[in-house]
Amino acid sequence: MSLYKLITRSTGKAFGQNILFTHDTTEFIHHSVQRTIYNSNKVLCENKGKPEESPLKKLLDDSASFEDLKIKNEEQQWATLPYPQEAKIRKQGEYFTEKPKQDPRETSIILFPGQGSQFVGMTKELMKFPMARDLFELANYILKYDLLKLCQEGPKEKLDQTQYCQPAIMVSSLAAIERLKEERPNAILNCTGTAGFSLGEITALVFAGAIGFERGLQLVKIRGEAMQLASEAYQGGMVTVIYGPDSKLNQALLKAKEWAVDKGDLFPECRIANYLYPHCKVVAGSISALDYLEKNAKEYNLRRVKKLPVSGGFHSDLMLPAVEPFRKALNKTEIQDPVISVYSNVDGKRYKNAAHIKKQLPKQIVKPVKWEQTLHVIYERTQDEYFPRTFECGPGSSLTTILKQVNTKAWSSCLHIGV
């Protein structure tokens, strides 16, 4: 009981009125306050050790369960209730326990490739689909050059440049989606998740409705141009490394970076850039560091070291100059929450919302692509559970090949939608 109530009860007057405190009144209030404190402490002692009731449980217990819709006696026959006549009576937790489960075999996962999958002649298979042609017409208008002609006729040297191949792969991949819509419409309707390798992650975000096509293409253009400039500022490259349980890959990377420092590389770097599948990684680094890896592979029990035909050391600190231009462009972009799950290359986890996309996506330029980890997250399930259909949409079929190495059961229901 509050002191306010005690004084009101003892005097019959509230605060603000003229109250004459006699000795008896003051003594009465004093004893009342002591008794109130004693009773409060007694309750606290009695409740000590008992688990405190969860606020969420109390909220659920007090929430409407429509039980008062049931007429218990004749007097309630004409009672007016605040619920519509067709309201469904529910039980707490019914949503979680009785929600029908969809057969995984009727769902789909869609994957989008990244840089390196391009080839001269791509998109020729897609020209019979009107929406695919419309995508390229819009892309030509946005980019201010003939992207379709570059894809189909080359030259290869130009198509392989980062600033050109990234928009080409993105638009070709989304054009492949138009083919999938025509040939297998349920694959789009029942899609539960999507992911893309490096550049393909932006394609996945466009497909999931988080970024509009026009703005997405502009972002890819800015990203490609920024990465191209970074490649010219800090010369580097990438190599695929196949290794075994007895290999000393981490030690080799450290020694290679030390070698690059001794050789005077402008930006000495050597680190894992892509986690592809068990015992296969892609390493990015400065020129001297990669040369060291190739020449000393046997010393560290590396099975194979093969240079990739790329213009820079992507997904490493060599790309640091490209991060800020892309971040500024992304901050000016209107982003929505994805309508389906989209998985991040940075940590393999799903994007939570639009704010998470803005925070995480720029990091991807300098962070390694954790593709193997992403596939484990996407296809994690119990032993007796079926796998969804998987569709790789875009040029090349490298992601299908990787999936076979990571999860054979998931790969058995994987289909490539070519361009």
Side-chain angles (χ1 to χ4, degrees), residues 211 215-216 218-223 226 322-335 358 361-362:
I211 303 174
R215 186 55 181 168
Q218 290 171 344
L219 285 174
V220 168
K221 180 176 182 289
I222 292 168
R223 182 181 187 269
V323 174
E324 198 55 33
F326 180 76
R327 180 183 283 113
K328 286 182 178 179
L330 188 66
N331 287 338
K332 296 177 181 178
T333 301
E334 182 180 354
I335 300 178
K358 281 195 174 184
L361 196 56

Side-chain angles (χ1 to χ4, degrees), residues 150-223:
L150 180 61
C151 290
Q152 295 185 351
E153 301 177 14
K156 184 179 183 304
E157 293 75 18
K158 184 175 182 179
L159 182 61
D160 286 346
Q161 293 179 31
T162 303
Q163 64 193 77
Y164 294 112
C165 78
Q166 290 197 13
I169 293 168
M170 175 192 168
V171 179
S172 298
S173 299
L174 292 173
I177 287 290
E178 299 304 324
R179 176 181 180 177
L180 184 61
K181 283 181 185 176
E182 294 286 339
E183 297 178 349
R184 299 171 183 265
N186 286 336
I188 304 295
L189 294 174
N190 299 327
C191 182
T192 58
T194 180
F197 191 98
S198 187
L199 154 75
E201 187 171 323
I202 300 179
T203 313
L205 288 168
V206 172
F207 170 69
I211 303 174
F213 172 76
E214 294 183 33
R215 186 55 181 168
L217 184 57
Q218 290 171 344
L219 285 174
V220 168
K221 180 176 182 289
I222 292 168
R223 182 181 187 269

Side-chain angles (χ1 to χ4, degrees), residues 26-45:
T26 306
E27 186 176 359
F28 171 78
I29 293 173
H30 173 72
H31 288 300
S32 297
V33 171
Q34 281 188 326
R35 186 165 57 252
T36 302
I37 295 172
Y38 169 80
N39 290 334
S40 299
N41 290 336
K42 183 178 180 183
V43 170
L44 288 173
C45 290

